[in-house]
Amino acid sequence: MTTVTTRTVEYPADNLTMIGHLALPAGTGRRPAVLVGPEGVGLSDVERRRAEALAELGYVALAFDLHGGRYLEDPEEMLARCMPLLADPDRMRGIGHAALDVLRAEPRADLDRTAAIGYGTGGAVALELGRDGVDLRAIGTVNALTTGRPGEAARIRCPVWAGVGSEDPIMPPAQRVAFTEEMQAAGVDWRLVVYGGALHAFHHPSVDHTVPPGVGHHPRHAQRAWRDIVALLAECLPVMD
C-alpha cells in the first residue's frame, strides 16, 4: 500500500475556524489536487478516509469542513445550519474558496490540475465553485443536484458528474430535471447516474444517531458511486509520474 501522510489544517471561513483533513501521497513531486466536501452533518471519518484513499491513488486531497469542527448529529440542528447555507451561493462559495486556498497553498498540489468532489451540502459547494468560474478539471457530486442562479452555470469550465438515489426524497425527479436542464442549457459536459433503489446519503455508512426519513446506506451503490468518481478523476485529472 502507498504511504500516505495526513495532517489537520485550520483555516477561517464563514466566520468559523474550519478544521480540514489534508492527505498527501507518497513521494515529493507535485500531484493533481482534489477537494472533498462532506454531507450536511459535517466532516467525518468517512470523508477523511476518502481523502486518504485519493492520496493512495496519487492525489493531494483535502476533506474540507462545513461547521467549524462540529459534526451535527441532531437533524434539526443540521437543517437549521444547512438550509440557509444552501440558499446562499455566496456563502457556499466563500467556504469553497477558503478550502481551495488551503489546498493550493500545499507545495505538492499542482495548481493547474484541481478538481472538486462532494456529498450533499459539500457537493453543492463544489458546484458553486464551478458556477463561480473556478478553473477546475472536474466536479463530482452525490446527492447534490442543486441549481444555481440564472446563467451562472455557463461559467462551469469542466465536466460535471452527478449521482443520486432513485428513491431520494430530498432530490426527487423534479430536482433531477431542473439540474440537468440547467447543465444542458449552459453547455456543460454533464452526466447523471441514478442508482436504483437508493435513498439520500446512500454512500454514507450507517450511523448510530437519528437520521431523517429517506436517508439510508446502500453498500453496493456506495461502492459503485465511489468507482464512478475515481473514474471521473482518472479521465479528467490523471496522475502522471
Side-chain angles (χ1 to χ4, degrees):
M1 180 179 294
T2 303
T3 302
V4 168
T5 304
T6 66
R7 70 173 184 267
T8 298
V9 290
E10 294 189 5
Y11 59 97
D14 203 39
N15 297 314
L16 298 168
T17 298
M18 300 300 188
I19 304 174
H21 183 75
L22 182 68
L24 302 175
T28 59
R30 288 201 166 193
R31 292 291 185 268
V34 183
L35 281 180
V36 182
E39 284 280 357
V41 287
L43 182 58
S44 73
D45 283 344
V46 172
E47 293 83 21
R48 294 184 186 99
R49 298 296 85 79
R50 287 188 176 127
E52 291 168 15
L54 290 174
E56 289 177 0
L57 294 173
Y59 298 97
V60 174
L62 174 66
F64 64 84
D65 187 10
L66 292 173
H67 309 311
R70 299 188 62 213
Y71 184 80
L72 307 181
E73 296 184 1
D74 179 1
E76 291 187 4
E77 183 181 16
M78 183 271 291
L79 290 173
R81 163 80 179 157
C82 288
M83 295 309 288
L85 179 60
L86 289 167
D88 191 336
D90 292 324
R91 279 183 68 197
M92 287 192 283
R93 292 175 186 186
I95 289 173
H97 277 288
L100 193 60
D101 288 345
V102 172
L103 183 63
R104 288 179 168 172
E106 165 53 47
R108 295 198 57 207
D110 185 339
L111 305 187
D112 295 324
R113 294 194 295 153
T114 305
I117 67 172
Y119 303 88
T121 303
V125 170
L127 285 166
E128 283 306 322
L129 286 176
R131 294 186 182 107
D132 200 32
V134 173
D135 183 15
L136 299 170
R137 293 293 184 91
I139 297 171
T141 74
V142 179
N143 308 328
L145 303 181
T146 53
T147 51
R149 290 183 291 221
E152 292 190 340
R155 299 176 183 172
I156 296 175
R157 302 156 65 182
C158 64
V160 172
W161 177 94
V164 68
S166 70
E167 306 309 302
D168 184 343
I170 300 172
M171 295 288 159
Q175 186 64 30
R176 294 179 220 160
V177 171
F179 176 78
T180 58
E181 287 182 346
E182 178 195 31
M183 294 294 110
Q184 185 66 20
V188 175
D189 176 1
W190 65 272
R191 282 169 282 175
L192 173 65
V193 177
V194 180
Y195 296 94
L199 298 169
H200 191 73
F202 68 88
H203 67 93
H204 200 292
S206 299
V207 294
D208 58 6
H209 58 77
T210 302
V211 296
V215 174
H217 187 217
H218 195 301
R220 187 165 60 251
H221 284 326
Q223 293 176 355
R224 289 168 173 164
W226 178 246
R227 288 198 298 266
D228 285 344
I229 287 174
V230 170
L232 171 75
L233 295 175
E235 174 191 341
C236 301
L237 205 68
V239 176
M240 296 177 287
D241 294 329

